[in-house]
């Protein structure tokens, strides 16, 4: 591993046996977070060894990484544009008005023209003051039924099992997201838009355009989003709405654009509220806004709305969102299922394993080169959630990841991750698949250290390292560029400079020097 990451290998045994797999046809992070108070940043004992990997530490975020992306700071884009609300669908069709609210007729026409689709019917838009909006959007903890409370408990423990959080309250966390991070939402189950604001100012018009795009998507493509394993479709849906929103914003006068930037920007109170949440949770929450725009921008430039429609009908696998240059390579996920151990009480049956979640999981504890390189041959995966030894046991998951080629890099990364995060992976190998288990760590859990550059930004850095016009046909053809970007991300001198909005000439010269040195060491 490149310096300064040079701990000793923890004592762990790789057991190569048959995996428990049955064949079948599977959060910009705001990097101004502070570590959770009173949470040590360290590593518990693993076998006979104690070590503390030197992780990229906290710095203020920023960087020119999105030369081909739409958004800069992700929460600003989220606040300005709004989001889907993921709720269970109802069997009966929701009511619709006969006509559009006359206040938004011009915005409806704009969205139809920009997307090349005509609304099949009008929908309701609710303009609410701050108090009414918060009451509508933010769940009342006291009103949650037993099933919702249990779901939240499972989510909290599952995040712990993935070593992403320590002592996280999923209900309180969702309340924070709902209360501070949106100015509007479109809810597919009610086919209704809820807006924070009673006056249709230029800033609120931008939000309406974003949400109307989501409503149009739903009418034509039936985006059945459940807030679970639907990152790919959410990424494309949000990127589509962000693109239409940005076109509308560009049509406003300079004064109106300045007003929108001021009113819809992330205020210190918002950033402060998000800073109380675990950074991996924020990273995953905002992942659609970071992953979707790169691919959608490229597809739109080539094929216009028809290309976007094709993406919405058939969303790409997460591997393509994380490595957009693979879009033309016909990547598909291997579909598998995973069985829970005998005598376990199953909580959630086998479901697709998110490559993004595994990437954040590894990167939370390991250098980017090791975490990202472990997934270069990703082909898909699945996981099952259960209580070990019965309904009262610890919440655990068993996951299987499948690779196009060898598994050595992933096995190595799992060994380091388990030791650093204080969990027991005990990976097993069966051909090109790796199966491992992890359980909620409970009171002994530690939170991962806060990075200088978060995974979403690191993904953008990798893509930005590929020159315009480069013809990439295989993973190997991209590796010289990716290797250089990864070495720079892990370089203790380069990383803080990459994570800054502006660089002095001397700092830029240092970045260029490090880039040339990294490229010289990345010959393939």
């Amino acid at each position: 591993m490149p310096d300064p990451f040079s701990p000793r290998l923890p004592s762990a045994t790789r057991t190569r046996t048959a995996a428990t797999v049955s064949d079948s046809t599977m959060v910009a992070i705001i990097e101004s977070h502070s570590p959770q108070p009173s949470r040590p940043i360290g590593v518990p004992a693993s076998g006979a060894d104690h070590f503390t990997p030197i992780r990229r530490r906290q710095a203020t975020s920023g960087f020119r990484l999105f030369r081909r992306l739409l958004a800069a700071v992700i929460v600003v884009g989220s606040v300005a544009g709004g989001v889907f609300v993921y709720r269970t669908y109802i069997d009966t069709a929701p009511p619709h008005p006969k006509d559009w609210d006359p206040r938004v007729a011009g915005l409806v026409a704009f969205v139809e023209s920009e997307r090349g689709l005509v609304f099949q019917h009008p929908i309701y838009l609710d303009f609410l003051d701050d108090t009414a909006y918060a009451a509508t959007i933010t769940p009342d903890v006291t009103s949650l039924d037993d099933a919702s409370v249990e779901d939240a408990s499972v989510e909290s423990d599952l995040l712990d099992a993935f070593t992403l959080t320590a002592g996280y309250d999923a209900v309180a966390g969702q309340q924070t997201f709902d209360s501070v991070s949106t100015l509007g939402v479109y809810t597919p189950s009610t086919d209704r838009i809820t807006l924070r604001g009673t006056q249709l100012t230029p800033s609120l018009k931008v939000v309406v355009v974003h949400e109307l795009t989501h409503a149009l998507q739903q009418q034509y493509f039936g985006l059945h989003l459940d807030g679970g394993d639907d990152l790919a479709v959410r990424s494309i849906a949000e990127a589509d709405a962000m693109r239409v929103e940005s076109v509308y914003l560009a049509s406003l006068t300079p004064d109106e654009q300045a007003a929108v930037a001021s009113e819809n920007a992330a205020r210190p109170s918002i950033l402060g509220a998000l800073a109380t949440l675990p950074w991996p949770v924020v990273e995953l929450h905002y992942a659609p806004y970071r992953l979707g725009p790169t691919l959608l921008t490229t597809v739109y430039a080539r094929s216009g709305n028809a290309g976007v429609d094709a993406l919405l009908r058939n969303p790409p696998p997460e591997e393509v969102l994380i490595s957009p240059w693979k879009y033309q390579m016909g990547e598909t996920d291997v579909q598998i299922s995973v069985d829970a151990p005998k005598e376990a009480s199953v909580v959630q049956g086998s479901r697709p394993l998110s490559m993004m979640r595994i990437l954040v999981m590894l990167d939370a504890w390991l250098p980017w080169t090791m975490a990202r390189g472990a997934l270069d041959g990703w082909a898909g995966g699945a996981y099952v959630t259960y209580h070990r030894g019965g309904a009262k046991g610890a919440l655990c998951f068993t996951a299987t990841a499948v690779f196009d080629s060898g598994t050595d890099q992933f096995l190595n990364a799992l060994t380091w991750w388990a030791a650093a995060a204080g969990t027991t992976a005990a990976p097993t190998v069966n051909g090109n698949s790796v199966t491992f288990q992890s359980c909620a760590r409970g009171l002994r859990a530690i939170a991962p250290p806060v990075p200088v550059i978060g995974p979403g930004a690191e993904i953008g850095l990798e893509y930005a390292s590929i020159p315009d016009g480069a013809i990439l046909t295989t993973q190997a053809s991209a590796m010289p560029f990716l290797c250089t970007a990864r070495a720079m991300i892990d370089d203790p001198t380069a990383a803080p400079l990459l994570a800054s909005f502006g660089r002095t000439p001397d700092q830029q010269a240092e970045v260029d020097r490090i880039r040339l040195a990294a490229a010289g060491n990345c010959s393939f």
Side-chain angles (χ1 to χ4, degrees):
M1 296 300 300
D3 291 334
F5 189 88
S6 55
R8 293 168 292 161
L9 184 67
S11 57
T13 302
R14 292 181 188 170
T15 305
R16 297 177 179 269
T17 60
T20 308
V21 182
S22 55
D23 290 334
S24 69
T25 58
M26 136 205 132
V27 106
I29 180 174
I30 301 305
E31 286 144 351
S32 56
H33 293 327
S34 298
Q36 292 182 342
S38 302
R39 294 290 180 183
I41 298 178
V43 180
S46 174
D49 291 330
H50 299 239
F51 65 92
T52 302
I54 300 175
R55 186 66 171 90
R56 299 174 298 283
R57 298 297 177 181
Q58 180 178 355
T60 302
S61 108
F63 176 49
R64 56 166 187 82
L65 70 151
F66 284 142
R67 70 168 189 238
R68 283 174 280 194
L69 295 188
L70 296 177
V73 182
I74 190 59
V75 71
V76 177
S78 172
V79 169
V83 294
F84 278 105
V85 167
Y86 310 106
R87 292 177 181 162
T88 304
Y89 277 77
I90 55 179
D91 294 331
T92 58
H96 303 120
K98 180 179 178 181
D99 300 303
W100 285 102
D101 184 324
R103 291 176 291 178
V104 303
L107 301 178
V108 170
F110 176 86
V111 171
E112 289 179 330
S113 175
E114 185 59 34
R115 277 299 279 114
L117 298 170
V118 177
F119 278 97
Q120 297 168 0
H121 56 75
I123 66 170
Y124 287 108
L125 292 87
D126 301 316
F127 294 84
L128 306 177
D129 60 28
D130 285 350
T131 301
Y133 182 87
T136 301
I137 297 302
T138 306
D140 180 3
V141 177
T142 61
S143 67
L144 294 178
D145 57 26
D146 291 343
S148 297
V149 172
E150 176 61 23
D151 288 345
S153 176
V154 168
E155 178 61 18
S156 297
D157 286 347
L158 189 58
L159 286 166
D160 183 352
F162 274 98
T163 71
L164 299 173
T165 62
Y168 177 62
D169 183 338
V171 172
Q174 189 58 52
Q175 283 185 308
T176 299
F177 280 121
D178 292 340
S179 63
V180 305
S181 65
T182 66
L183 293 177
V185 295
Y186 168 69
T187 308
S189 60
T190 61
D191 201 16
R192 200 176 189 111
I193 292 173
T194 305
L195 300 158
R196 187 197 296 260
T198 58
Q199 301 297 319
L200 200 57
T201 62
S203 60
L204 193 57
K205 288 180 180 178
V206 170
V207 179
V208 171
V209 166
H210 186 110
E211 301 309 318
L212 284 173
T213 305
H214 285 323
L216 192 60
Q217 293 165 347
Q218 176 63 21
Q219 290 187 12
Y220 278 86
F221 307 106
L223 307 179
H224 288 261
L225 306 173
D226 59 12
D229 301 305
D230 49 27
L231 177 58
V233 66
R234 283 187 290 135
S235 296
I236 300 304
E238 292 296 356
D240 184 26
M242 290 165 68
R243 188 197 67 79
V244 176
E245 171 193 332
S246 68
V247 174
Y248 177 76
L249 180 61
S251 73
L252 301 180
T253 67
D255 287 345
E256 289 173 328
Q257 291 182 29
V260 171
S262 175
E263 294 177 31
N264 287 1
R267 296 178 293 278
S269 60
I270 294 175
L271 296 177
L274 292 175
T276 66
L277 301 173
W279 70 262
V281 174
V282 179
E283 182 79 34
L284 291 171
H285 186 87
Y286 289 113
Y289 298 88
R290 298 299 295 268
L291 299 181
T294 306
L295 178 61
L296 185 133
T297 301
T298 301
V299 171
Y300 183 82
R302 294 174 180 173
S303 307
N305 280 319
V308 177
D309 294 348
L311 285 175
L312 289 167
R313 291 191 186 97
N314 187 26
E318 286 184 30
E319 182 182 9
V320 172
L321 290 172
I322 293 172
S323 302
W325 47 271
K326 289 187 175 182
Y327 178 63
Q328 303 273 358
M329 297 183 186
E331 297 287 339
T332 58
D333 275 347
V334 174
Q335 301 298 308
I336 64 172
S337 63
V338 179
D339 297 327
K342 293 180 179 179
E343 300 182 3
S345 176
V346 175
V347 176
Q348 297 170 340
S350 182
R351 57 177 55 190
L353 180 64
S354 167
M355 179 183 177
M356 184 63 182
R357 176 171 286 212
I358 294 297
L359 181 56
V360 174
M361 179 192 84
L362 294 177
D363 188 54
W365 300 98
L366 305 175
W368 177 250
T369 298
M370 178 183 278
R372 183 64 186 91
L375 303 179
D376 276 338
W378 180 271
Y383 74 103
V384 59
T385 307
Y386 52 88
H387 287 291
R388 184 174 57 189
K392 300 297 183 180
L395 186 84
C396 307
F397 71 84
T398 293
T400 294
V402 182
F403 295 85
D404 293 323
S405 52
T407 60
D408 285 350
Q409 288 192 84
F410 188 64
L411 274 170
N412 188 47
L414 281 180
T415 301
W416 287 100
W417 159 76
T423 188
T424 303
T428 62
V429 178
N430 182 16
N432 285 340
S433 69
V434 179
T435 297
F436 65 101
Q437 304 82 32
S438 183
C439 297
R441 298 164 297 163
L443 295 177
R444 63 186 177 85
I446 57 173
V450 181
V452 172
I453 307 174
E458 289 164 325
I459 290 169
L461 277 168
E462 284 200 353
Y463 187 62
S465 72
I466 299 174
D468 291 326
I471 300 176
L472 305 178
T473 57
T474 63
Q475 174 79 23
S477 63
M479 282 310 300
F481 309 114
L482 303 181
C483 174
T484 300
R486 292 172 187 179
M488 294 184 69
I489 291 168
D490 284 329
D491 187 285
T493 301
L497 297 177
L498 296 177
S500 63
F501 277 108
R503 292 192 283 273
T504 67
D506 287 345
Q507 290 174 329
Q508 184 58 53
E510 180 67 4
V511 169
D512 292 340
R513 182 193 67 78
I514 295 172
R515 179 183 295 109
L516 288 174
N521 292 327
C522 288
S523 57
F524 284 83

